[in-house]
Amino acid sequence: MIRDEHARDRQFPVDGKRFSLFTIAGLIAGVILISGLIKTGDDSLLCSIAKSRSQPINGFSDMETQLRALVHYATSTIIPQQNYDEISVTYDVLRNRSPCNFLVFGLGYDSPMWDALNPRGKTLFLEEDQKWVDDVLKGAPNLHARAVKYRTQLKEASTLLNHYRTQLSCFPSNAYLRGNDQCKLALTGFPNEFYDTEWDLIMIDAPRGWFAEAPGRMAAIFSAAVMARNRKGAGVTHVFLHDVDRKVEKLYATEFLCKKYLVKSAGRLWHFEIPAAVKTTSHDDPHFC
């Protein structure tokens, strides 16, 4: 990213496997082909929300989005945030679940790719910096991105774990997000569509989490777990967490996303499939896993 702190937080190590721009273009080209082969009436590959849509599908608009992404990566010298193996994990799920509701914490150089890989679906990007949102949208105005504010700081990670274990509104049997000011890990004050949409896939690759005053990803991980457990539709919620080599990401993933739901890992990315919770959890049990 243009800003040094974003670049440091969202680039993989220099000695990691570099992701080829040609490979990205190939992935998107493959999706274009797959999208053309999927019949409009075939519900087997649709996410739960797609079945209730009533607006007509604009095939040209989908193709234009994908072609813009191809041009973007074919002419860019910037390496995306994730490497080939990491991107492939999410791509494999999108290939089977798109069109779906895809929530992405973070806005960066890979955003046009994620948008293009979910044709006819809803992809929302959440970013902590309004200026960065404005800068990215200048080059990719078709992206649906919103600036949001976090209430946490990375240096509070341990304290927040202790807080959730004693705050009833954080307990898995009671947890909710919108307006839950008592639970400091609940994401509050976000756009209505964040709360009103049932997300099929959630990618956590932000906010910043490499210095003490950064928001950290504690609240994003907790809130993803709450949304997944509160799911009303059929199927599981796919949660992808990047940078699991870092202490806080790994700690919070183990606490809230649960190792028993970890189905795949690649590089610094973990993929969880989280089912809706059976409403039998004890009200005095603070544990998610």
Side-chain angles (χ1 to χ4, degrees):
M1 292 185 176
I2 294 174
R3 297 180 301 147
D4 290 343
E5 61 267 29
H6 274 284
R8 179 176 174 181
D9 197 39
R10 303 226 182 141
Q11 296 294 330
F12 51 84
V14 174
D15 60 352
K17 181 179 179 180
R18 296 277 180 172
F19 186 87
S20 167
L21 296 177
F22 293 104
T23 307
I24 298 178
L27 284 175
I28 298 173
V31 168
I32 294 175
L33 176 61
I34 293 169
S35 299
L37 295 175
I38 295 175
K39 296 180 180 179
T40 303
D42 183 3
D43 287 340
S44 63
L45 298 182
L46 302 184
C47 292
S48 57
I49 191 66
K51 297 179 181 178
S52 63
R53 289 187 174 176
S54 59
Q55 69 263 30
I57 294 175
N58 188 337
F60 178 77
S61 178
D62 297 334
M63 181 68 74
E64 184 180 22
T65 297
Q66 293 163 336
L67 291 177
R68 283 181 181 273
L70 282 171
V71 172
H72 170 80
Y73 291 108
T75 58
S76 175
T77 58
I78 299 170
I79 297 172
Q81 290 89 298
Q82 298 181 26
N83 64 29
Y84 174 79
D85 291 337
E86 293 166 346
I87 289 177
S88 294
V89 173
T90 309
Y91 167 71
D92 287 342
V93 177
L94 280 170
R95 184 176 59 185
N96 291 309
R97 297 294 300 270
S98 178
C100 62
N101 291 330
F102 187 15
L103 177 66
V104 183
F105 287 90
L107 181 68
Y109 298 122
D110 57 357
S111 297
M113 176 190 64
W114 294 129
D115 187 52
L117 291 176
N118 188 27
R120 303 191 301 274
K122 177 178 183 178
T123 305
L124 172 64
F125 300 92
L126 300 177
E127 171 61 43
E128 64 186 283
D129 187 336
Q130 181 65 63
K131 185 179 183 301
W132 179 247
V133 172
D134 295 339
D135 289 344
V136 171
L137 293 184
K138 288 178 183 177
N142 59 303
L143 296 180
H144 184 31
R146 302 289 296 272
V148 294
K149 294 185 181 298
Y150 294 89
R151 299 187 292 163
T152 59
Q153 291 187 326
L154 184 64
K155 62 186 178 183
E156 302 171 323
S158 296
T159 302
L160 288 170
L161 276 181
N162 293 329
H163 161 77
Y164 116 81
R165 290 167 181 154
T166 59
Q167 176 52 249
L168 289 177
S169 65
C170 294
F171 283 18
S173 57
N174 304 325
Y176 62 98
L177 301 182
R178 179 159 38 197
N180 190 356
D181 296 324
Q182 291 183 321
C183 180
K184 296 178 182 178
L185 282 170
L187 292 175
T188 62
F190 274 38
N192 286 334
E193 63 184 318
F194 171 76
Y195 306 105
D196 296 338
T197 305
E198 187 159 87
W199 301 103
D200 302 297
L201 279 72
I202 302 174
M203 169 73 73
I204 305 174
D205 205 1
R208 293 172 295 170
W210 55 270
F211 61 98
E213 291 74 25
R217 299 179 186 172
M218 300 85 67
I221 294 171
F222 171 85
S223 297
V226 171
M227 289 189 286
R229 290 175 60 89
N230 292 342
R231 182 179 181 85
K232 299 297 188 294
V236 299
T237 302
H238 296 267
V239 179
F240 306 90
L241 175 62
H242 197 222
D243 296 318
V244 294
D245 58 316
R246 300 195 299 210
K247 179 180 178 180
V248 169
E249 277 79 356
K250 183 173 293 186
L251 176 64
Y252 270 71
T254 302
E255 183 73 30
F256 297 110
L257 302 180
C258 308
K259 279 292 188 72
K260 63 183 177 181
Y261 299 137
L262 178 63
V263 296
K264 195 167 186 178
S265 64
R268 297 185 297 142
L269 182 116
W270 281 355
H271 170 205
F272 299 84
E273 292 183 1
I274 303 178
V278 178
K279 301 300 182 180
T280 57
T281 305
S282 172
H283 286 270
D284 58 0
D285 184 3
H287 300 99
F288 278 67
C289 303

